[in-house]
């Protein structure tokens, strides 16, 4: 048995011993009494009785250990023409002062702070400042609309919201403050104060008595010390798409988060303290939380905060420019970003302009990585291209080639093997494991390892119902796929209505709720269809109420605008088509899978349970009318 398999086996046979050892790498103010408390399964608690502070582990411990002069954070923003570097000591100073400012605004242990921020250093500072004083942050991605933000405000009930006057998307300046103001109007819960970072590209008017500028909040604020919290206390809540318009507030427990993320840096990514690590994502997503902010800092690395796009800021060489300028050793992005680069620079000619000699590995995740994209990375970058699989809920990779343990052979289309700690099994509908190579529900045997979600915010019941009920004793990933003869995982598709658009996770159910609220719409369905750039994009079907005689394209225009207004531009909902009826089973279930196959040009067959097969012809024609359902 090779080294990897040996370590993997040990992690499952002796999880307590395995993770207790990993926990030695974390600074605790009080050691745990029990490594693992599984007495209330499916609620798993790690490092019970232990106390620590996330920010101390990210910053202060490195300053105390003599890393104060090392660069902790590089803000590289081609959209504003700025590169700013912060040493660990500088970051400590800024974070401690902003933590003092938050405390001055009444934020204390366990209080929530919502951050609605673009990719600027203040986003990272605010995250770290929040956990420094034992409070809980919830970052909301800037591409979400006011209504989505309002839903999160009502669920998290923040005392304070931290935001900025605007974001910059490519060449466009997008005001954030009007969205924030609108969200607070829509929400039942009102934050006491809002701290606004004014950016010169679009300054925002402030609301008297409620809003203050970042600078005013920070000015004269005393530096706040790190407040120890329980290992089982939440470090943050991050909302992610569920099967309805109501997002799920994934709760990340402090102790497990620290231990798992610290462990992952060496063992999965093979980076050492002092190395430069770059995740080109957004702090609004889990990848941004785990691998822009927390893991690289826990490990004493230099992390890069990139405010730009893979193309157009200014060109498809910008990723390679950042890697060369900052001597990035390991990079992490979504396959869609590589597809965008590949489209503009298919031969990777721009690579020749940059010194990539420090670059060691390219990690990819967020959506299925198509073999062409993986191969392009391997051929052009000439370093390992590692597809790895994980979710907001898990917080760190479930399956990956663990470069720091032993590099296993690659199989394009597979994120390799489960990572130590994750007992992945593929289950048949009856709940028994399938044979190798057979498709089923990809499930994880409990207990989940440290770092995985501990529950959903204020909603233990939904946690149990969403993830733990279908196959008792297992966590349901919501992904379907197989494990092959060599133990490699192949993640094929979601089993629910979640789609992945440009690496962004979205709920078609949430979009259907918006469409259904249009006064002319009697019935609707949204499916994810294949897209060369974004992997998937949503497409809507509308059945109009009897007697509606508005032109169809008018209704389509209106629903497209509604999704943008209520969910946000990130949904990329641009195409819908009007049909007379939707294909359904005899029991009335909409055959979304069949419509998706037709849209993607595959033969859907005729489902045995279909109520009226004749309807498939109309669906095909409608889809052809909007550029889909092409054969071959
Ligand atoms: N704030 C405000 N609006 C945002 C936003 C943000 N932070 N992020 C995206 N948007 C908007 C975009 O401006 C765009 O709006 P538009 O419809 O007016 O053009 C819309 O949301 C869709 O954005 P995006 O999905 O980024 O598409 P794009 O066409 O602008 O860019 C890619 C395509 C492939 C370049 C881009 O999706 C990308 O870089 N993807 C990488 C994804 C990633 O990092 N995922 C994280 C998981 S690892
Ligand atoms: P998110 O919670 O946004 O990280 O999205 C998680 C979902 O994205 C997973 O459940 C998968 O459906 C998909 N996903 C993420 N990474 C991969 C991957 N490497 N291969 C296949 N699907 C992936």
């Amino acid at each position: 048995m090779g080294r990897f398999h040996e370590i993997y086996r040990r992690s499952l046979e002796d999880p307590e011993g395995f993770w207790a050892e990993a926990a030695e790498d974390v600074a605790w103010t009080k050691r745990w009494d029990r490594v693992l408390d599984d007495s209330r399964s499916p609620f798993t608690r790690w490092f019970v009785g232990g106390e620590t502070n996330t920010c101390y582990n990210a910053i202060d411990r490195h300053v105390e250990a003599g890393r104060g002069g090392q660069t902790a954070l590089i803000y590289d923003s081609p959209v504003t023409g700025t590169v700013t570097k912060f040493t660990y000591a500088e970051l400590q100073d800024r974070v401690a002062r902003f933590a003092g400012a938050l405390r001055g605004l009444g934020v204390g242990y366990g209080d929530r702070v919502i951050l609605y921020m673009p990719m600027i250093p203040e986003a990272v500072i605010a995250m770290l400042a929040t956990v420094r004083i034992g409070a809980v942050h919830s970052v909301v991605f800037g591409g979400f609309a006011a209504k989505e933000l309002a839903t999160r405000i009502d669920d998290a009930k923040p005392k304070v919201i931290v935001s900025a006057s605007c974001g910059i998307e490519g060449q466009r300046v997008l005001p954030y403050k009007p969205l924030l103001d609108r969200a607070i109007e829509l929400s039942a819960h009102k934050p006491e104060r809002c701290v606004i970072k004014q950016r010169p590209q679009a300054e925002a008017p402030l609301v008297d008595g409620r809003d203050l500028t970042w600078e005013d909040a920070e000015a004269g604020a005393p530096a706040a010390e790190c407040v120890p919290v329980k290992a089982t206390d939440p470090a943050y809540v991050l909302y992610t798409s569920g099967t309805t318009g109501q997002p799920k507030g994934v709760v990340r427990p402090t102790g497990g988060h620290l231990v798992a993320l610290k462990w992952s840096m060496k063992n999965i990514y093979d980076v050492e303290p002092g190395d430069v690590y770059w995740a080109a994502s957004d702090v609004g997503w889990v990848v941004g939380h785990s691998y822009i902010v927390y893991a690289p800092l826990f490990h004493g690395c230099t992390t890069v905060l990139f405010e730009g796009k893979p193309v157009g800021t200014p060109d498809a060489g910008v990723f390679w420019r950042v890697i060369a300028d900052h001597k990035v050793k390991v990079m992490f992005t979504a396959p869609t970003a590589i597809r965008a680069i590949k489209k503009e620079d298919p031969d990777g000619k721009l690579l020749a302009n940059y010194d990539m000699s420090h670059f060691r590995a390219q990690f990819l995740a967020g959506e299925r990585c198509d073999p062409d994209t993986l191969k392009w990375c391997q051929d052009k970058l000439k370093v390992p291209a590692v597809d790895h699989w994980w979710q907001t809920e898990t917080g760190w990779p479930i399956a990956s080639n663990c470069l720091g343990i032993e590099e296993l052979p690659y199989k394009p289309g597979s994120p390799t093997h489960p990572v130590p700690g994750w007992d992945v099994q593929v289950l048949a509908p009856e709940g028994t494991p399938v044979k190798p190579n057979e498709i089923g529900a990809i499930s994880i045997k409990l207990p989940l390892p440290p770092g995985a979600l501990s529950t959903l915010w204020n909603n233990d019941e939904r946690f149990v119902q969403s993830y733990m009920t279908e196959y008792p004793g297992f966590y349901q990933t919501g992904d379907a796929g197989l494990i092959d003869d060599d133990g490699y995982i192949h993640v094929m598709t979601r089993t629910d209505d979640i789609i992945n658009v440009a690496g962004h996770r979205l709920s078609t159910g949430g979009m259907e709720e918006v469409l259904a609220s249009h006064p002319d719409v009697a019935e609707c369905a949204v499916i994810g269809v294949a897209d060369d750039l974004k992997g998937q994009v949503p497409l809507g079907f509308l059945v109009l109420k009897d007697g509606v005689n508005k032109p169809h394209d008018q209704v389509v225009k209106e629903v497209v605008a509604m999704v943008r207004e209520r969910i946000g531009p990130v949904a990329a909902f641009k195409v819908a088509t009007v049909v007379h009826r939707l294909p359904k089973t005899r029991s009335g279930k909409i055959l979304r899978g069949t419509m998706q196959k037709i849209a993607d040009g595959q033969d859907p067959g005729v489902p045995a349970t279909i109520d009226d097969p004749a309807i498939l012809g109309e669906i095909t024609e409608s889809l052809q009318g909007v550029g889909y359902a092409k054969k071959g």
Side-chain angles (χ1 to χ4, degrees):
M1 195 187 284
R3 184 171 139 74
F4 172 80
H5 290 283
E6 180 96 14
I7 290 177
Y8 181 70
R9 188 183 47 81
R10 177 164 173 244
S11 77
L12 299 195
E13 282 176 8
D14 176 21
E16 293 193 57
F18 185 88
W19 290 112
E21 216 170 86
E24 296 297 344
D25 256 3
V26 165
W28 300 86
T29 44
K30 178 173 174 288
R31 256 180 105 77
W32 55 90
D33 303 321
R34 287 183 70 180
V35 180
L36 167 65
D37 173 7
D38 216 9
S39 59
R40 286 180 55 233
S41 184
F43 297 92
T44 301
R45 297 176 346 129
W46 287 94
F47 310 109
V48 179
E51 289 180 7
T52 180
N53 180 278
T54 300
C55 184
Y56 179 80
N57 276 279
I59 303 178
D60 300 59
R61 74 176 294 193
H62 303 307
V63 175
E64 288 168 17
R67 274 187 194 281
Q70 181 198 309
T71 304
L73 177 70
I74 301 172
Y75 167 57
D76 188 313
S77 168
V79 294
T80 58
T82 318
V83 176
T84 314
K85 297 184 183 180
F86 299 80
T87 63
Y88 270 96
E90 286 163 347
L91 195 59
Q92 182 184 39
D93 174 55
R94 293 290 307 272
V95 168
R97 278 195 292 126
F98 194 67
L102 287 176
R103 187 176 273 163
L105 297 175
V107 178
Y109 170 77
D111 289 334
R112 274 80 56 213
V113 177
I114 279 192
L115 313 179
Y116 185 59
M117 302 283 274
M119 289 284 285
I120 55 177
E122 285 76 7
V124 179
I125 292 170
M127 288 167 81
L128 291 163
T130 305
V131 291
R132 188 173 185 88
I133 54 173
V136 179
H137 61 68
S138 188
V139 185
V140 179
F141 178 62
F144 282 123
K147 180 147 184 310
E148 290 286 322
L149 177 57
T151 310
R152 287 152 175 83
I153 294 173
D154 275 333
D155 199 61
K157 301 194 171 36
K159 231 179 200 166
V160 167
I161 299 185
V162 184
S163 187
S165 56
C166 66
I168 304 167
E169 273 287 297
Q171 317 297 330
R172 287 175 301 160
V173 173
L174 301 177
Y176 275 27
K177 184 66 176 15
L179 299 176
L180 172 66
D181 290 342
R182 176 81 187 124
I184 296 174
E185 253 170 60
L186 291 171
S187 62
H189 172 86
K190 310 289 177 195
E192 288 167 22
R193 306 300 299 271
C194 296
V195 180
I196 310 295
K197 173 69 193 172
Q198 295 281 23
R199 304 187 77 187
Q201 294 79 8
E203 295 221 350
L206 301 184
V207 174
D208 257 357
R210 188 196 72 187
D211 300 350
L212 72 167
T213 64
W214 177 282
E215 284 72 19
D216 284 348
E218 220 183 19
E225 290 312 304
C226 296
V227 174
V229 300
K230 293 192 207 104
T232 48
D233 281 338
Y236 67 79
V237 176
L238 177 60
Y239 289 89
T240 190
S241 299
T243 47
T244 63
Q246 181 69 30
K248 294 169 167 169
V250 165
V251 175
R252 190 79 56 212
T254 299
H257 180 233
L258 269 162
V259 172
L261 260 50
K262 173 83 177 75
W263 183 89
S264 73
M265 287 302 281
K266 171 67 194 154
N267 290 283
I268 298 180
Y269 299 99
D270 198 19
V271 289
E272 306 291 345
D275 285 342
V276 184
Y277 181 95
W278 175 28
S281 176
D282 187 287
V283 289
W285 305 118
V286 68
V287 174
H289 281 63
S290 295
Y291 292 105
I292 295 174
V293 184
Y294 289 116
L297 296 180
F298 293 161
H299 202 50
C301 292
T302 299
T303 186
V304 181
L305 181 76
F306 173 71
E307 189 181 30
K309 294 254 176 187
V311 293
T313 60
D315 59 28
V318 69
F319 274 19
W320 325 136
R321 196 272 296 157
V322 171
I323 290 173
D325 280 0
H326 306 307
K327 300 191 168 45
V328 171
K329 183 172 174 187
V330 168
M331 186 199 176
F332 178 166
T333 192
T336 192
I338 301 293
R339 286 195 296 269
I341 293 172
K342 188 170 119 196
K343 201 166 150 211
E344 292 209 357
D345 181 20
D347 300 323
K349 289 205 176 86
L350 293 167
L351 273 159
N353 301 338
Y354 303 102
D355 172 10
M356 305 270 290
S357 57
H358 290 84
F359 193 45
R360 289 282 170 277
Q362 173 72 63
F363 281 78
L364 298 157
E367 57 181 318
R368 187 175 171 274
C369 183
D370 55 291
D372 278 357
T373 301
L374 192 84
K375 192 163 177 321
W376 191 90
C377 286
Q378 285 168 340
D379 291 353
K380 305 292 178 238
L381 303 176
K382 305 197 177 2
V383 293
V386 185
D387 173 17
H388 63 332
W389 167 60
W390 51 300
Q391 313 182 307
T392 306
E393 289 85 344
T394 66
W396 62 289
I398 315 166
S400 181
N401 213 325
C402 290
L403 296 192
I405 301 178
E406 180 191 359
E407 192 176 2
L408 300 177
Y410 292 88
K411 289 194 192 185
S414 163
T416 317
H417 193 278
V419 166
W422 301 97
D423 186 355
V424 181
Q425 302 190 15
V426 178
L427 303 180
E430 321 72 79
T432 47
V434 300
K435 295 199 196 77
N437 300 313
E438 281 179 13
I439 295 179
I442 312 185
S443 314
I444 299 163
K445 192 159 186 308
L446 301 182
L448 295 178
L453 82 171
S454 52
T455 187
L456 294 177
W457 182 251
N458 272 340
N459 210 336
D460 285 352
E461 207 177 301
R462 190 173 181 200
F463 169 75
V464 173
Q465 196 199 25
S466 307
Y467 303 111
M468 306 293 185
T469 304
E470 199 171 348
Y471 302 112
F474 289 86
Y475 162 85
Q476 254 334 95
T477 64
D479 284 314
L482 59 85
I483 297 183
D484 69 17
D485 292 322
D486 301 320
Y488 280 51
I489 295 187
H490 300 253
V491 182
M492 323 278 233
T493 180
R494 291 285 307 189
T495 55
D496 53 18
D497 61 2
I498 283 169
I499 57 170
N500 237 300
V501 180
H504 310 315
R505 172 167 158 179
L506 297 159
S507 156
T508 53
M511 294 184 221
E512 287 178 4
E513 284 175 24
V514 176
L515 265 47
S517 71
H518 187 284
D520 297 333
V521 172
E523 225 185 340
C524 64
V526 176
I527 58 170
V529 294
D531 183 81
D532 283 348
L533 176 65
K534 299 196 174 190
Q536 279 184 304
V537 288
L539 185 151
F541 294 88
L542 308 168
V543 179
L544 302 186
K545 288 180 181 159
D546 284 348
V548 171
N549 49 21
K550 233 192 232 171
H552 290 177
D553 28 342
Q554 179 60 30
V555 183
V556 167
K557 241 191 227 148
E558 287 168 11
V559 296
V560 166
M562 281 168 76
V563 173
R564 196 177 170 90
E565 161 74 21
R566 300 218 198 144
I567 297 179
V570 67
F573 182 84
K574 306 228 155 117
V575 185
T577 175
V578 173
V579 292
H580 288 101
R581 280 177 304 149
L582 295 170
K584 291 189 184 169
T585 62
R586 282 186 283 278
S587 60
K589 215 168 151 250
I590 298 173
L591 289 161
R592 292 183 179 77
T594 304
M595 294 195 284
Q596 183 177 340
K597 281 204 176 115
I598 299 175
D600 291 345
Q602 297 166 16
D603 181 1
V606 178
T609 53
I610 194 166
D611 182 32
D612 175 10
I615 197 170
L616 298 181
E618 189 202 340
I619 295 290
T620 308
E621 259 173 49
S622 271
L623 281 165
Q624 283 167 345
V626 287
Y628 290 90
K630 292 179 217 132
K631 291 273 177 241

